[in-house]
Amino acid sequence: MAVILGMGNPLLDISADVTQETFDKYGLLPGNAILAEDKHQPLFAELAAKPDVKYVAGGATQNSIRVAQWMLQEAGKTAYMGCIGDDDFGKKLTEACKTDGVDAKYMIDKSTPTGTCAVTILDKERSLTTNLSAANNYKASHLQENKATLDAAKIVYSAGFFITVSPESMEIASQAMLKSGGTYCLNLSAPFIVQVPPFRAVLEKTLPCCDYLFGNETEAQAYAEAVGWDTTDVEFIATRLSLVPMAAGKPPRKVVITQGCDPTVVAIRGVVTKYPVLKLPAEKLVDTNGAGDAFVGGFLAALSKGKDMEGCCKAGAYAASIVIQHSGCTYPAKPDYTF
């Protein structure tokens, strides 16, 4: 059975290079992730019509799980749950997981298309605009039907994006890990997750059960601003997040904040340690899109192997350094990495 279980929003990325004009037209910001509104709908067709368009299996949690599986190189060590449609895009996602060795337990919604994400790339920086579609319809009843997978998992991970879909599933999973002594991991994922009060409320309710909290510097700063901490100091924010009390019997939370090409900040019990990342020359960078997801994937793979924080950050940094040399969250056949 799978050691690592991911629960999230499965999306097919529709990815292409665009001009500043496209960013301005749709109000897109580099490095940002948003949910599509009516004004964004023509963007998906515009990208699909581009000669350089690529279709890549996506969704933040699914990316991390596929990278973890790639790092582990042992089929079935990871599993994934989320909702897709009964269509060609859904089949593409199913095939991608099968090829990678991920045990995909998709809920299938026959009446709604598979979710898509418009990945607009400008000067190697990307902006993500998501049509959740079927991904938005995941139900906790599906998790209950697949409880054997949850019970077998030692590590459960969700990106913060899943908060918008099924807080009930996240509560079931985090409580299951609390009971079994397993590890529950969560990602801040995007500024809007911490800025929208109902979403932030779910995050804060989940924190006492959260063993590892991931994020990047922008998301950490957005959290601090949203809760009225008058600071942009990433180490200070990570420290405060590490000190939010844990549920009874849980070890201290580890807060892991990536900062692009700067060292990763880790706070445990209010103590900060920094871990280096692998710096690449600019000409090797292809697409920073999957860097954060890949870091988590490498990190979780190392965690499942019993590695310490240094070992987990090292594996995360390696995975991210490979993925950013490819378009989308993709990678070569095998990692050049041993645990």
Side-chain angles (χ1 to χ4, degrees):
M1 292 291 272
V3 182
I4 305 170
L5 167 63
M7 296 163 57
N9 304 337
L11 306 169
L12 191 72
D13 286 351
I14 304 172
S15 173
D17 286 305
V18 298
T19 59
Q20 184 64 47
E21 192 184 352
T22 304
F23 267 57
D24 295 342
K25 179 180 174 184
Y26 291 106
L28 305 176
L29 296 170
N32 200 18
I34 57 170
L35 294 176
E37 299 168 32
D38 288 344
K39 68 176 182 183
H40 297 114
Q41 294 309 322
L43 174 62
F44 292 84
E46 282 177 31
L47 290 185
K50 284 186 171 285
D52 67 330
V53 68
K54 289 191 179 76
Y55 294 90
V56 183
T61 308
Q62 186 165 245
N63 286 345
S64 294
I65 294 300
R66 289 175 59 231
V67 169
Q69 181 59 54
W70 171 72
M71 287 286 284
L72 290 167
Q73 287 292 306
E74 201 180 328
K77 282 290 176 190
T78 64
Y80 177 79
M81 295 182 196
C83 186
I84 59 173
D86 187 10
D87 53 19
D88 282 348
F89 283 0
K91 287 187 183 76
K92 274 193 168 80
L93 292 184
T94 306
E95 281 159 17
C97 280
K98 196 172 178 183
T99 303
D100 288 346
V102 175
D103 180 16
K105 306 270 188 195
Y106 290 124
M107 176 180 163
I108 295 172
D109 180 343
K110 290 188 181 295
S111 60
T112 315
T114 296
T116 49
C117 179
V119 180
T120 42
I121 304 166
L122 178 63
D123 300 331
K124 296 180 184 175
E125 274 283 350
R126 58 25 164 183
S127 192
L128 307 177
T129 309
T130 295
N131 253 341
L132 283 172
S133 302
N136 202 33
N137 297 340
Y138 187 81
K139 301 286 182 285
S141 56
H142 178 268
L143 176 57
Q144 301 285 23
E145 286 160 21
N146 291 277
K147 199 158 179 308
T149 303
L150 174 61
D151 290 343
K154 301 279 186 287
I155 299 165
V156 177
Y157 172 70
S158 281
F161 297 120
F162 198 49
I163 287 172
T164 72
V165 171
S166 188
E168 188 188 348
S169 299
M170 294 174 76
E171 186 167 2
I172 292 166
S174 60
Q175 290 296 323
M177 291 299 102
L178 183 62
K179 285 195 186 80
S180 69
T183 301
Y184 188 76
C185 310
L186 191 58
N187 202 314
L188 295 173
S189 292
F192 84 86
I193 297 293
V194 301
Q195 288 159 346
V196 177
F199 298 160
R200 189 172 70 250
V202 175
L203 175 71
E204 288 173 347
K205 185 183 176 189
T206 313
L207 273 182
C209 291
C210 174
D211 295 283
Y212 288 82
L213 179 67
F214 296 96
N216 66 25
E217 73 276 41
T218 313
E219 294 148 10
Q221 288 162 345
Y223 184 88
E225 188 182 359
V227 296
W229 298 346
D230 190 18
T231 183
T232 55
D233 183 327
V234 172
E235 292 182 39
F236 179 82
I237 298 163
T239 296
R240 282 195 73 165
L241 283 166
S242 77
L243 294 171
V244 174
M246 293 297 284
K250 276 268 187 187
R253 179 180 309 102
K254 293 87 177 161
V255 179
V256 183
I257 307 294
T258 56
Q259 306 187 94
C261 60
D262 291 325
T264 299
V265 169
V266 177
I268 307 170
R269 280 199 179 111
V271 178
V272 168
T273 312
K274 290 183 183 173
Y275 294 93
V277 295
L278 296 167
K279 279 198 178 173
L280 293 176
E283 64 270 15
K284 282 199 162 183
L285 295 181
V286 174
D287 177 9
T288 56
N289 184 6
D293 297 339
F295 178 89
V296 172
F299 189 105
L300 295 179
L303 189 62
S304 75
K305 290 281 196 184
K307 299 298 174 190
D308 62 7
M309 183 58 75
E310 186 181 4
C312 290
C313 285
K314 190 179 167 197
Y318 169 79
S321 76
I322 298 300
V323 165
I324 60 178
Q325 295 180 62
H326 296 78
S327 184
C329 196
T330 57
Y331 30 79
K334 287 197 168 146
D336 184 17
Y337 193 90
T338 44
F339 289 108

